[in-house]
């Protein structure tokens, strides 16, 4: 049986408002899990709690001894080459070698961009560079926040292919997305959040063919145009 991330009695509040309220949630550390839900549902906050970037006001997030890498929707770049932007990861992980950096660039198809100014990259190229940063950290768990938001179809395909390659290396991945077609293409399991609460959690096929909750049914009808 796969290891799991265990969230228990989680409460995350900001300015007197509850952002996340999860009584119990187990996320298998195997394959791909998608986190979906309306804007403001708490999806990004959930990723940050799992990564340890946010300490919940209450409760605990227990994860086996695995390294995670978090790729947020907007990752800042400095006005330097792509390779220099990538090499910044060495500040946190001294074991990274120049060969590792070259390999990471190659794995996301950016070898020919190594000397290009990072801030001049397109949105899709920036996202691939962000994934290269994550790969350099050699995590077992990848956490991706809206990895293809605002990308054109070609750039989306490139990012999705990298995601498939990541999983092919026996890693696990949790990502948030508003693209339900992408969720159906990539994910094994889905977590549906609404108002910071886990409404449904299970296999993708079950969720999309027979959602149990009225909230999920309305969400899917709105997003997929169901009648």
């Amino acid at each position: 049986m796969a290891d799991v991330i265990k969230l228990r009695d989680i409460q995350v509040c900001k300015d007197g408002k509850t952002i996340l309220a999860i009584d119990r949630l187990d996320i298998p550390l195997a394959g791909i899990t998608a986190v979906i839900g309306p804007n403001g549902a708490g999806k990004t906050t959930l990723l940050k709690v799992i990564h340890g970037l946010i300490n919940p006001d209450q409760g605990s997030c227990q994860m086996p001894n695995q390294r995670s890498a978090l790729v947020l929707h907007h990752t800042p770049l400095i006005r330097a080459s792509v390779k220099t932007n990538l090499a910044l990861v060495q500040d946190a992980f001294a074991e990274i070698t120049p060969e590792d950096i070259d390999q990471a660039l190659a794995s996301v198809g950016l070898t020919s961009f190594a000397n290009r100014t990072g801030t001049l990259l397109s949105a899709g190229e920036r996202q691939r560079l962000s994934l290269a940063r994550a790969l350099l950290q050699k995590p077992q768990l990848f956490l991706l926040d809206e990895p293809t938001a605002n990308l054109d179809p070609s750039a989306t395909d490139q990012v999705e292919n990298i995601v498939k390659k990541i999983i092919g290396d026996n890693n696990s991945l949790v990502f948030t997305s508003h693209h339900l077609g992408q969720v159906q293409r990539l994910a094994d399991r889905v977590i549906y959040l609404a108002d910071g609460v886990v409404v449904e959690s299970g296999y993708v096929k079950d969720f999309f063919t027979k959602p149990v909750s009225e909230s999920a049914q309305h969400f899917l009808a709105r997003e997929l145009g169901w009648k």
Side-chain angles (χ1 to χ4, degrees):
M1 183 176 178
D3 289 331
V4 298
I5 304 166
K6 297 181 179 181
L7 295 103
R8 300 291 186 267
D9 302 317
I10 294 288
Q11 290 278 342
V12 177
C13 302
K14 184 177 180 181
D15 300 327
K17 179 182 178 182
T18 299
I19 307 299
L20 208 59
I22 297 176
D23 293 333
R24 179 187 178 93
L25 177 63
D26 290 342
I27 305 175
L29 284 168
I32 301 178
T33 299
V35 183
I36 65 173
N39 288 332
K43 300 184 295 293
T44 302
T45 300
L46 175 58
L47 294 190
K48 290 180 177 180
V49 168
I50 293 171
H51 187 59
L53 196 59
I54 288 179
N55 291 319
D57 299 287
Q58 175 183 308
S60 65
C61 176
Q62 301 170 14
M63 187 167 69
N65 187 25
Q66 295 196 358
R67 178 181 289 179
S68 64
L70 173 64
V71 178
L72 294 172
H73 179 43
H74 297 290
T75 302
L77 300 176
I78 63 172
R79 192 171 180 80
S81 71
V82 166
K83 193 167 186 176
T84 297
N85 270 277
L86 193 53
L88 293 174
V89 181
Q90 290 176 306
D91 292 342
F93 302 94
E95 71 273 16
I96 293 173
T97 67
E99 291 75 21
D100 291 332
I101 293 171
D102 290 339
Q103 177 57 42
L105 285 173
S107 67
V108 299
L110 289 179
T111 298
S112 62
F113 293 74
N115 296 318
R116 185 173 298 187
T117 302
T119 52
L120 299 181
L121 294 178
S122 69
E125 291 158 357
R126 282 174 175 246
Q127 190 64 354
R128 284 189 280 152
L129 179 55
S130 295
L131 290 172
R133 282 178 171 175
L135 287 164
L136 264 183
Q137 299 170 44
K138 294 182 171 60
Q140 294 79 46
L141 171 64
F142 289 77
L143 304 166
L144 311 182
D145 185 30
E146 295 283 350
T148 61
N150 304 318
L151 299 188
D152 63 29
S154 176
T156 295
D157 285 344
Q158 290 175 321
V159 170
E160 289 189 4
N161 285 334
I162 294 169
V163 166
K164 293 173 185 176
K165 190 187 305 181
I166 287 171
I167 292 301
D169 292 331
N170 294 318
N171 298 302
S172 52
L173 188 147
V174 180
F175 76 103
T176 67
S177 181
H178 283 288
H179 300 295
L180 299 188
Q182 179 179 74
V183 171
Q184 291 174 296
R185 286 193 300 274
L186 294 179
D188 307 299
R189 300 181 64 85
V190 63
I191 297 165
Y192 170 61
L193 289 179
D195 297 321
V197 175
V198 176
V199 181
E200 291 193 41
S201 176
Y203 291 107
V204 166
K205 182 179 179 181
D206 293 338
F207 179 79
F208 281 95
T209 57
K210 48 184 178 183
V212 176
S213 67
E214 185 176 342
S215 173
Q217 291 168 13
H218 287 168
F219 175 76
L220 292 174
R222 182 175 64 250
E223 297 296 320
L224 297 177
W226 288 356
K227 300 268 185 171

